[in-house]
């Protein structure tokens, strides 16, 4: 047997992706983390490049990934229990660190219970597998993350039982709710907390209010679900995410430990019964090994830091550096999408200019993400900057100065 014939077909498919402009660039490899020095934050070395880079494309908003307490917690847990769990959760793969993390994240987001997953991606899929039946109707924001779109697909409901509302458009959400068939018993309204390409947020207070008005129409009600992967840890007065910012909590909260908390893994937090249904029914929980104890112990430490004076200081610096960067863009007359989140999009609105600026910044030691068609619609070409708590005043000034110099 050989894969020659398949290889030939796949080569054609890859060529087609390239022609559609959808092929991904080769991955850069980070070979060294350089500690902050003088007035500058950390830098990174890439394989095959002599520059030292500042990262403005990292989701580690609180810069906890390199925190010594997280590394120590991971080391201690590994020394105690080993590197891998040896089996899935149901076959004695549940360790004290898994249980601790579930209790800690549930308390942090103020829900009765939580289940942890290997990622937020598999959390979304797991939720869909657990709470959907043939009388369920799903409604989602038009700009929801790929993992939510995938979750809605694997919920195995006919397309008639799905609605998409225009981004953050509450009138359109009502239209979707009005269109739900009277035979439906359960409606799930699901949305990103922070929209990762734009840095804007879902108005959870308004969404909750609208959904509540429709709740009595359906046997099991209208359930609101936020995936706040970019909000939790990084947004709101106490870093509890978009719920904190909007002062309103949806019924179910999904999130990641892989962004502001600087580790890895995802979670679903909700009522005890929903979480038990997830445990019983979510294939992406049941049939796969869990996170390592190292990840869990590091994530608990990250939440503890986030909940302490140190965390509030990190959040304060994150907010100040974000404001500094946004004000710098404004002074230069650059277009962005307003808001306090550390995802700061610079609207370029031209593919070539986007590529040229990304390359210019790269040559000057700055890592950012350029978003062009088909990732964003034509005319919405953007460079996404992500501010982290480790960035210093001098770092942000440096980047603003570069943007000023780019002609
Ligand atoms: C809304 C949303 N959900 C899920 C994810 C994926 O998170 P994870 O890496 O934990 O799967 C992302 C990140 O890209 C995201 O923006």
């Amino acid at each position: 047997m050989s894969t020659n014939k398949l290889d030939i077909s796949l080569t054609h498919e890859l060529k087609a992706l390239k022609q559609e402009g959808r092929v991904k660039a080769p991955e850069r490899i980070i070979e060294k983390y350089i500690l902050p020095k003088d007035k500058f934050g950390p830098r990174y070395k890439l394989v095959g490049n002599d520059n030292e880079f500042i990262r403005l494309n990292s989701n580690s908003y609180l810069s906890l990934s390199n925190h010594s307490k997280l590394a120590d917690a991971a080391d201690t847990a590994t020394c105690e229990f080993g590197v891998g769990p040896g089996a899935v959760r149901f076959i004695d793969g549940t360790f004290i660190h898994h249980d601790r993390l579930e209790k800690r994240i549930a308390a942090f987001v103020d829900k009765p219970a939580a289940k942890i997953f290997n990622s937020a991606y598999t959390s979304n899929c797991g939720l869909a597998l657990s709470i959907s039946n043939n009388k369920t109707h799903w409604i989602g924001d038009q700009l929801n993350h790929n993992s939510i779109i995938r979750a809605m697909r694997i919920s195995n409901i006919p397309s008639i039982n799905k609605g998409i509302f225009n981004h953050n458009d509450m009138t359109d959400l009502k239209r979707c709710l009005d269109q739900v068939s009277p035979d439906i018993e359960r409606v799930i309204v699901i949305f990103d907390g922070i929209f990762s390409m734009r840095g804007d947020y879902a108005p959870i207070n308004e969404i909750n209010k609208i959904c509540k008005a429709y709740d009595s129409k359906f046997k099991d009600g209208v359930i609101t679900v936020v995936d706040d992967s970019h909000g939790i840890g990084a947004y709101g007065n106490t870093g509890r995410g978009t719920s904190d910012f909007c002062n309103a909590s949806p019924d179910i909260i999904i999130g990641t430990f892989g962004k502001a908390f600087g580790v890895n893994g995802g979670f679903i937090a909700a009522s005890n019964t929903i979480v038990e249904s997830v445990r019983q029914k979510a294939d992406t929980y049941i049939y796969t090994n869990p996170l390592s104890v190292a990840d869990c112990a590091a994530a608990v430490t990250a939440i503890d830091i986030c909940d302490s004076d140190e965390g509030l200081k990190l959040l304060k610096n994150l907010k100040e550096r974000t404001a500094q960067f946004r004000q710098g863009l404004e002074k230069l007359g650059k277009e962005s999408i307003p808001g306090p989140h550390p995802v700061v999009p610079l609207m370029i609105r031209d593919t070539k200019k986007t590529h040229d600026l990304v390359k210019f910044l790269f040559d000057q030691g700055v890592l950012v993400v350029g978003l062009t068609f088909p990732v964003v619609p034509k005319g919405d070409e953007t460079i996404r900057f992500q501010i982290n708590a480790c960035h210093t005043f001098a770092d942000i000034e440096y980047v603003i100065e570069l943007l000023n110099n780019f002609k």
Side-chain angles (χ1 to χ4, degrees):
M1 291 295 280
S2 116
T3 63
N4 282 352
K5 287 192 291 181
L6 177 62
D7 289 345
I8 290 167
S9 293
L10 290 177
T11 305
H12 287 305
E13 289 171 26
L14 290 171
K15 267 192 196 145
L17 273 186
K18 196 169 178 185
Q19 272 157 10
E20 290 161 25
R22 290 170 55 201
V23 82
K24 308 235 177 322
E27 285 155 33
R28 300 187 285 240
I29 301 172
I30 294 176
E31 64 176 355
K32 194 169 179 206
Y33 170 79
I34 302 164
L35 287 166
K37 60 173 180 274
D38 306 326
K39 53 187 183 162
F40 295 107
R43 294 292 186 267
Y44 295 82
K45 290 265 301 120
L46 299 178
V47 170
N49 193 302
D50 291 333
N51 262 343
E52 288 184 1
F53 289 90
I54 175 173
R55 277 189 81 182
L56 274 98
N57 61 359
S58 164
N59 300 314
S60 188
Y61 298 114
L62 291 180
S63 301
L64 292 176
S65 356
N66 294 86
H67 197 295
S68 60
K69 279 193 189 161
L70 270 68
D72 287 348
D75 277 355
T76 308
T78 305
C79 290
E80 276 176 335
F81 293 102
V83 185
V88 301
R89 293 283 299 263
F90 289 89
I91 307 182
D92 291 325
T94 297
F95 291 71
I96 189 78
H97 290 286
H98 299 108
D99 187 53
R100 250 181 225 154
L101 179 56
E102 284 169 349
K103 291 188 169 122
R104 188 67 186 90
I105 191 64
F108 185 76
V109 298
D110 200 19
K111 291 288 179 202
K115 269 290 125 198
I116 56 171
F117 286 72
N118 289 314
S119 65
Y121 202 108
T122 50
S123 306
N124 275 311
C125 296
L127 182 77
L129 294 165
S130 318
I131 64 169
S132 211
N133 63 17
N134 59 7
K135 298 239 177 213
T136 304
H137 186 107
W138 287 74
I139 297 176
D141 186 289
Q142 169 199 15
L143 295 188
N144 274 349
H145 185 258
N146 176 282
S147 54
I148 300 180
I149 297 167
R150 181 63 59 200
M152 282 170 74
R153 285 192 186 136
I154 65 170
S155 67
N156 274 337
I157 50 159
S159 56
I160 194 168
N161 289 350
K162 285 180 199 173
I164 304 293
F165 60 96
N166 294 334
H167 177 52
N168 272 350
D169 182 337
M170 296 301 105
T171 309
D172 209 36
L173 169 59
K174 280 188 208 151
R175 176 192 60 82
C176 289
L177 284 159
D178 284 332
Q179 282 179 352
V180 179
S181 151
D183 300 339
I184 288 294
E185 294 184 348
R186 186 178 298 181
V187 179
I188 314 290
V189 176
I190 187 163
F191 45 89
D192 285 29
I194 300 292
F195 291 84
S196 58
M197 300 296 163
R198 302 166 52 86
D200 58 349
Y201 68 94
I204 300 181
N205 42 347
E206 289 177 51
I207 295 176
N208 272 357
K209 212 161 120 194
I210 291 168
C211 292
K212 202 169 166 211
Y214 287 80
D215 191 68
S216 60
K217 276 183 75 178
F218 306 100
K219 181 179 149 278
D220 297 341
V222 180
I223 310 300
T224 53
V225 185
V226 71
D227 173 350
D228 205 12
S229 287
H230 285 269
I232 292 194
Y235 207 52
N237 284 339
T238 61
R240 276 166 173 74
T242 311
S243 300
D244 188 356
F245 188 82
C246 296
N247 202 15
S249 185
D251 299 306
I252 301 176
I253 299 182
I254 289 174
T256 183
F257 300 110
K259 300 194 195 295
F261 293 137
V263 191
N264 222 350
F267 67 89
I268 298 172
S271 70
N272 284 305
T273 309
I274 292 174
V275 169
E276 178 58 10
S277 292
V278 165
R279 196 176 80 85
Q280 297 295 340
K281 296 185 182 178
D283 292 357
T284 53
Y285 173 83
I286 299 169
Y287 297 103
T288 181
N289 271 10
L291 291 174
S292 68
V293 290
D295 281 334
C296 296
V300 166
T301 308
I303 302 169
D304 287 345
I305 291 175
C306 192
D307 232 357
S308 70
D309 285 347
E310 184 184 353
L312 289 177
K313 267 191 211 143
L314 289 170
L315 197 59
K316 184 165 176 280
N317 192 47
L318 179 64
K319 284 181 182 170
E320 287 174 0
R321 299 289 69 79
T322 302
Q324 181 193 352
F325 186 68
R326 285 184 179 276
Q327 281 156 16
L329 287 186
E330 211 177 302
K331 272 194 201 140
L332 296 180
K334 306 276 186 200
E335 183 191 353
S336 183
I337 297 171
H341 192 267
V343 164
V344 186
L346 171 60
M347 309 305 290
I348 307 287
R349 304 199 179 280
D350 180 274
T351 300
K352 182 172 179 313
K353 276 191 199 152
T354 302
H355 289 317
D356 289 350
L357 181 49
V358 169
K359 179 171 185 316
F360 171 79
L361 291 170
F362 182 82
D363 291 342
Q364 306 297 320
V366 181
L367 298 176
V368 290
V369 176
L371 305 166
T372 54
F373 180 80
V375 177
V376 291
K378 280 193 177 132
D380 278 356
E381 294 82 359
T382 307
I383 295 180
R384 181 175 73 166
F385 292 83
Q386 289 171 289
I387 311 301
N388 285 187
C390 64
H391 293 144
T392 65
F393 185 87
D395 288 334
I396 301 295
E397 287 295 284
Y398 173 68
V399 179
I400 291 289
E401 189 57 34
L402 287 178
L403 290 172
N404 189 28
N405 292 342
F406 178 73
K407 297 295 170 225

